[in-house]
Amino acid sequence: MENDNTESKSKGNNVFIPFEKILNGIEKSKKQVEMLVNSTELLYNNKKYSLSISICILAEEEISKLDFLRDHYKKENPILFREWKQIRDHKEKLTTSFIEGLKAVKNMSKEQYETAITVRKSQGGDNLIPYDELIKLGDSFDIKNLEKFDIVKQDGFYATFRDDNWFSILTDIPINQQEAISFTKMLALKLAYYDLLLSFQFDLINDSTFEELQNNELTKKMIEINKIKKSNAFQTKAILASSALKKFYKIKQ
């Protein structure tokens, strides 16, 4: 058994995707994510809310994978067997961005975090939580809340038998709550997508690149989305969506 574990561990440390092949994966993943993001909105506009929710969550997973590829390309690191196996796990993809984001914040100086606040404000976002408070919140956050979205995704695609009952978003969640979940998640998805695309264009934000960032078309799109998020109508939908997710999935947001 020990030999099997050693062999498995050894294989896990072997290169699965060479560095020189990562860029091609990034380009293909970008197109895939773009299609999923567009499909989410198309389904929402056609009032196919349950499917829109599922595709949205699937898109979030693919954004996480794209970010994973970007990080390896930026560091010029190949992808190991164990890393690829991990990032292919659905729940892992739903939590990786949060975990890695928290690590990134912890590695920031307070000065760097202040720069991040300035950038977020320029995109129309709300003021970020003070550095020390964010670290505390991140450390206490229940990661299982994010993992539960894998079940939400499944329930939007098909009827499932769980806890001695059949359930599907289409038939069991009221249409107004479906719409609220779909709309709020779609906007969050777009912000995450545009933010990631910007990270490909702007590896380092400084005085010389800040103005260019502000004038970028993706930044302008983020500003418009953040305006919507600050509206009373959106806040009403957000409360409705949060209530539905808590009731049906015990997800606390």
Side-chain angles (χ1 to χ4, degrees):
M1 181 64 71
E2 184 177 345
N3 288 337
D4 290 343
N5 289 337
T6 302
E7 184 179 347
S8 177
K9 186 175 181 180
S10 175
K11 182 179 179 181
N13 288 324
N14 288 342
V15 172
F16 183 68
I17 302 176
F19 167 73
E20 60 269 18
K21 292 192 176 182
I22 293 177
L23 183 58
N24 184 246
I26 286 174
E27 295 307 316
K28 291 180 185 295
S29 291
K30 278 184 178 180
K31 291 179 181 178
Q32 193 72 23
V33 170
E34 181 182 16
M35 181 197 66
L36 290 170
V37 172
N38 291 340
S39 296
T40 297
E41 186 165 21
L42 183 64
L43 287 164
Y44 174 83
N45 290 338
N46 283 277
K47 300 182 180 180
K48 308 297 183 183
Y49 303 126
S50 59
L51 275 178
S52 177
I53 292 166
S54 292
I55 296 296
C56 182
I57 296 169
L58 187 59
E60 289 172 347
E61 293 180 20
E62 289 306 296
I63 284 175
S64 180
K65 186 172 74 178
L66 179 57
D67 192 27
F68 166 84
L69 294 173
R70 183 194 70 86
D71 184 61
H72 277 69
Y73 186 76
K74 177 183 174 183
K75 294 175 181 176
E76 299 186 5
N77 288 337
I79 297 170
L80 307 181
F81 269 93
R82 58 179 170 78
E83 293 175 319
W84 187 246
K85 181 179 179 181
Q86 190 174 18
I87 199 62
R88 289 185 67 193
D89 180 85
H90 293 291
K91 291 181 180 179
E92 187 71 28
K93 284 189 282 189
L94 287 169
T95 59
T96 293
S97 291
F98 174 82
I99 293 171
E100 293 303 316
L102 183 61
K103 286 181 183 177
V105 170
K106 287 183 175 180
N107 289 329
M108 284 182 183
S109 65
K110 289 195 175 183
E111 183 180 40
Q112 289 172 321
Y113 189 70
E114 288 299 320
T115 300
I117 289 178
T118 302
V119 170
R120 189 63 68 211
K121 285 181 179 179
S122 75
Q123 295 167 337
D126 295 327
N127 292 342
L128 294 183
I129 301 170
Y131 181 86
D132 294 332
E133 290 183 28
L134 182 64
I135 296 300
K136 289 179 182 177
L137 281 173
D139 288 337
S140 63
F141 183 79
D142 186 359
I143 206 72
K144 290 182 179 179
N145 273 319
L146 297 177
E147 292 178 350
K148 289 175 183 176
F149 278 104
D150 186 47
I151 299 174
V152 179
K153 179 186 67 182
Q154 294 175 44
D155 287 352
F157 279 135
Y158 43 73
T160 54
F161 191 76
R162 185 174 59 252
D163 298 329
D164 206 34
N165 282 297
W166 284 99
F167 186 87
S168 82
I169 291 176
L170 178 65
T171 59
D172 294 292
I173 295 184
I175 192 70
N176 64 325
Q177 294 180 9
Q178 290 183 42
E179 188 273 337
I181 297 170
S182 178
F183 185 73
T184 54
K185 285 199 69 62
M186 180 176 65
L187 292 196
L189 171 68
K190 286 185 175 182
L191 285 175
Y193 175 51
Y194 297 151
D195 193 46
L196 181 57
L197 291 181
L198 283 172
S199 73
F200 280 97
Q201 298 180 38
F202 299 91
D203 186 45
L204 181 66
I205 303 299
N206 51 40
D207 291 341
S208 62
T209 59
F210 185 69
E211 184 176 351
E212 186 181 348
L213 174 68
Q214 285 183 303
N215 293 323
N216 189 283
E217 287 303 314
L218 292 173
T219 297
K220 292 176 182 178
K221 289 181 179 180
M222 293 179 76
I223 290 172
E224 290 305 310
I225 292 173
N226 279 314
K227 283 181 181 178
I228 294 172
K229 288 186 68 177
K230 292 175 182 177
S231 68
N232 290 333
F234 178 86
Q235 294 302 321
T236 300
K237 287 182 189 289
I239 292 171
L240 187 61
S242 179
S243 175
L245 289 169
K246 185 176 181 180
K247 176 182 177 181
F248 291 101
Y249 295 99
K250 296 182 173 59
I251 294 175
K252 299 176 182 178
Q253 293 188 303

